[in-house]
Structures are given as C-alpha cells and as structure tokens.
Amino acid sequence: QEEIERLGNISRIPLTKTGYVRSYCRNMCLYNGNRNNNKNYKKFKNLMGDLTLDREEYMQLKRSFQGGFTHASARHSDKILYDVDSIDFTSSYPYVMISEMFPMSHSKKVKIESKEQFENCIKRYCCLFDVEFIGIEPKYINENYISKSRCYNTKGVIENNGRVVYADSISTTITDVDYTIIEQCYIWKKIKIWNFKTYQRGYLPRQLLLAILKLYGDKTELKGVENKEIEYMQGKAMLNSVYGMAVTDIVKDDIEYINDWICNSPDYDKLIKMYNNSKNRFLFYPWGVWVCAYARRNLWTGIIQFGDDYIYSDTDSI
C-alpha cells in the first residue's frame, strides 16, 4: 500500500526487490539519471553490442559461477570455542564492483600451447576455462578451496565437508581469479586446460560505478541514525541487490499452468539472442561471475594469513 501511494499505481511496483535497483541503475547507465537525456544512450548501447554471448560460452560461465565461500576449518569444527574474534569486509560485493577490472569485450578463444602462454593470459586478461587437476593436494591443513559439487570426472577424491582435500583427478570450470587462489592453496602433479577464453580487462562503466557509489552513500549516511532503521535496511538491501542483478540467469525454465503445472525446456539460442539484442540491457552476465570470484579471493587472503587461528568464514567475514 505504501508503494502504491508512493508510485501512484500498483503496476509500477517491480516484481522483485532487485527490480528497484535494476530500474535505478538502468536509468543511470542509459540516460545519466534523466530519461530525457539520450546523449549517453547510443554510446552505452554500442558497448552492450560488443558484450554478447553464445550458448556454449553461457553454459561455461554458468559452470564457473560460484557464490560466497562458506566453510569451517577441519581443525576446529564440532568443537565449542571460546575467546573468538571476527573481522568482515564492509559491502564486499559493491566494493569489488568499483575497484576491480571485469570482462569488457567479446570473448576470444585461445589454444594454450605452453605454460608461458597460459601464465601470460592469466596475467593480462580475464580468463575462463575448463581444467583437469591430476594428483592435487593441499598446501594448508586449515582450509580447502575447491568445492566437490563444482567438479566432474572425479577420481579418488578425499573431501572435507564438501571441499576437495586430495584427488587423483578432478575436472572443473574456473576463472583466472579462481586459478590464482587455487595456485596459492594447492599443489598438483599435472594440469590439462581446454575451452580457454579471454576477455579484455576494464573497469565497469562509469555511470554504473556512480550508481553504486550513490547507493553506498545513501546506506552509510543512515547507519546508526535514530528513527531511520527501516530506511537503513532498505538502503542496505538496495546496495546488496546491485550484484544480484548482474548475475540473474539469462535462460530460465518456462513454467506453464494448464490444469496442472508443466515445466517446458527453454530455447537457449532464442533467449540468449534476445538477451544480446535487448535495447534495455545495461549488464553483462560475466560481470556477476567475476564479482564473486574477486570477493572469494579477498576472503582467502585472510584465511591464508590467519593460518591455524582460522576457524570459519562466510562470504565477507572470517
């Protein structure tokens, strides 16, 4: 009822909380915050025209996508601990969105023929690839990064509550950021790489960064202010939704009701083509994939530094 009164009509209320943020950020990106301002529209649509996907690439991105890292150290699980402290990142996902570089081009397929070529690509580009690790084992006892549920063609896996401790062989799909974490906390006898794709690195569009900073400012100014608790929680939810809209599925099951519920298989090629050609699009699915990867990397810098004192972590806190 409050929203009907504020917006004037129930039809103007978005279907989801993310819809509010999506509408605000779209307006900022395409029209610089003013729908009567079309100067930026053509420039932004030219950028979106370069940021397109095909079915195979989308499926590979879906395989590589992981959320926040949440796990307990095998050293300390199933115990009652005392004198425990914690530390967390403020607005972890929005922070990496404004501070890190993301895929800002169409993907390019690369045939990896040497270790030097691979390392050069990891250093210079955003990379997406399938990988097999043979004879992989941990450098640290206190925590393990690779999730067994994200692996396939597994052999001889020893796991720690869903995380891979050791394996004769595992295959998975990762980004360059994931690889830098895995390289720090595992060793292996042999590695095989295929379906290797690179993207030019760049910062997210300036208009989107300004939108994120505005939402962050609105949230922080209300924190701890008396009688503004509801507005603060709404502002916090708006800020946290920025990441969610970036990684919303492009292809969803088609649910239909005719006397009973029916789940129809989606037409991937049709839906991805609609996504690529959408005049209202201002996001690129890989951005959301890399947001989580960067946040996991930041979290793991703490996990490694805390060493044996590390107990548990969840997305943005240790």
Side-chain angles (χ1 to χ4, degrees), residues 107-280:
S107 68
K108 178 182 178 182
K109 292 185 178 180
V110 177
K111 185 178 180 181
I112 298 298
E113 297 180 329
S114 69
K115 181 180 179 182
E116 290 73 24
Q117 180 196 12
F118 171 73
E119 290 177 347
N120 185 54
C121 286
I122 292 292
K123 184 178 180 179
R124 295 181 57 191
Y125 303 102
C126 289
C127 304
L128 174 71
F129 54 98
D130 293 293
V131 59
E132 180 184 14
F133 294 104
I134 298 169
I136 188 169
E137 58 185 86
K139 291 182 180 179
Y140 305 105
I141 297 174
N142 59 308
E143 188 57 284
N144 309 106
Y145 178 75
I146 299 173
S147 178
K148 185 175 182 290
S149 65
R150 292 290 175 175
C151 300
Y152 51 93
N153 296 335
T154 60
K155 294 180 182 177
V157 175
I158 298 173
E159 62 178 280
N160 162 24
N161 192 23
R163 303 288 168 174
V164 175
V165 178
Y166 170 87
D168 293 333
S169 68
I170 51 169
S171 297
T172 187
T173 308
I174 59 175
T175 68
D176 58 291
V177 184
D178 293 304
Y179 179 79
T180 60
I181 305 170
I182 293 170
E183 189 178 35
Q184 289 182 67
C185 56
Y186 288 96
I187 56 174
W188 51 83
K189 294 178 181 177
K190 191 174 180 182
I191 186 174
K192 296 180 181 178
I193 293 163
W194 67 100
N195 291 339
F196 196 95
K197 296 179 178 67
T198 62
Y199 303 84
Q200 294 291 334
R201 278 183 183 149
Y203 291 107
L204 295 180
R206 181 175 181 272
Q207 294 83 356
L208 181 57
L209 299 182
L210 290 174
I212 295 169
L213 290 170
K214 174 66 166 60
L215 291 170
Y216 179 75
D218 290 347
K219 184 204 81 164
T220 52
E221 288 171 8
L222 293 170
K223 189 172 183 179
V225 178
E226 191 175 355
N227 299 323
K228 291 290 184 179
E229 292 82 4
I230 293 175
E231 289 86 349
Y232 168 72
M233 292 304 297
Q234 289 175 336
K236 186 175 181 179
M238 287 275 283
L239 180 65
N240 292 339
S241 294
V242 171
Y243 146 75
M245 69 180 182
V247 78
T248 300
D249 270 351
I250 298 169
V251 180
K252 304 181 184 72
D253 289 334
D254 184 21
I255 309 298
E256 187 176 27
Y257 184 83
I258 305 174
N259 299 323
D260 200 359
W261 292 105
I262 303 170
C263 181
N264 300 309
S265 298
D267 186 331
Y268 278 78
D269 294 324
K270 177 184 176 181
L271 292 172
I272 291 171
K273 184 177 180 180
M274 287 174 59
Y275 169 85
N276 288 335
N277 296 333
S278 172
K279 293 182 179 180
N280 286 323

Side-chain angles (χ1 to χ4, degrees), residues 8-66:
N9 191 298
I10 196 171
S11 66
R12 296 181 180 178
I13 300 177
L15 293 174
T16 66
K17 184 71 177 179
T18 306
Y20 288 96
V21 184
R22 189 182 297 274
S23 177
Y24 170 71
C25 292
R26 179 186 289 115
N27 190 31
M28 285 288 290
C29 289
L30 299 183
Y31 306 104
N32 279 335
N34 181 359
R35 290 194 66 84
N36 295 320
N37 181 358
N38 292 316
K39 292 182 180 179
N40 196 59
Y41 183 83
K42 186 174 181 180
K43 179 181 178 181
F44 208 93
K45 293 318 294 179
N46 287 337
L47 170 64
M48 289 293 107
D50 292 332
L51 304 181
T52 57
L53 304 170
D54 58 38
R55 175 173 177 164
E56 187 271 333
E57 181 182 1
Y58 172 65
M59 297 301 290
Q60 190 176 13
L61 285 164
K62 287 273 288 181
R63 292 198 304 273
S64 72
F65 172 62
Q66 301 179 55

